[in-house]
Amino acid sequence: MELTINHTTKTFEVLPESLEALIAMELPEKKKGIAVALNNRIIPQSFWAETFLNNKDSILIITATQGG
């Protein structure tokens, strides 16, 4: 199974169950300052747990950084 994450294709034996599970895998140390788009649609954090992933989905993950 494949997902495109930030324009890079990643192969998974089994897709993560939800967008929340994917974020936990990709950014385990980061809890705040994350924005996610699934197939060019922004998904609010309150919906990550109930947003299921499909083969060939495209995910864009943006993280806030400190500084100016």
Side-chain angles (χ1 to χ4, degrees):
M1 306 270 190
E2 291 182 353
L3 295 174
T4 301
I5 303 170
N6 291 353
H7 308 292
T8 302
T9 302
K10 289 187 79 172
T11 303
F12 296 85
E13 290 284 324
V14 176
L15 287 179
E17 290 182 15
S18 64
L19 192 52
E20 183 176 63
L22 175 68
I23 298 302
M25 286 173 53
E26 293 293 311
L27 301 168
E29 73 289 344
K30 190 122 171 108
K31 302 293 179 203
K32 294 184 179 182
I34 303 171
V36 180
L38 173 63
N39 300 322
N40 296 316
R41 294 185 63 184
I42 296 171
I43 307 296
Q45 188 171 3
S46 59
F47 289 100
W48 291 359
E50 60 194 57
T51 301
F52 300 102
L53 301 174
N54 295 302
N55 190 37
K56 305 286 185 181
D57 276 346
S58 177
I59 297 113
L60 181 63
I61 303 170
I62 301 171
T63 59
T65 57
Q66 191 174 9

